[in-house]
Amino acid sequence: MPFGFNADQDRVAFDRAELGVILSLYGRMVAAGEWRDYAMSFLREAAVFSVFRRAAEHPLYRIEKRPRLRTAQGEYAVIGMDGRILKRGHDLPVVLRVLEKKLIRPVD
């Protein structure tokens, strides 16, 4: 590794406020029995927070931050298990509302 090289500068990451919003939702979903595990990846193009029902499965949802899309569709996206973009936007709490709707269930 060359002197002065910082691998963290080449990666996208969630800041403390973004992580607080995501972990707050994660905690509510765990309490509701919907989610059980998570993983985070910090790549050159995106930061990804993946949520799982079980650790050995594919992620149910991915919450992505892609700064290059900040001026276009928005840097935040929620992506489903099948790869479809469920919601994209500039404001993380607004984008995450698509997952909050999963907590609302009809009463029998």
Side-chain angles (χ1 to χ4, degrees), residues 1-6:
M1 189 175 293
F3 179 75
F5 178 78
N6 185 352

Side-chain angles (χ1 to χ4, degrees), residues 51-53 57-62 78-86 99:
V51 295
F52 300 85
R53 183 162 287 137
E57 295 179 353
H58 293 287
L60 292 173
Y61 302 103
R62 292 189 329 261
V78 173
I79 301 168
M81 188 185 312
D82 58 358
R84 286 184 307 151
I85 297 173
L86 303 177
L99 297 175

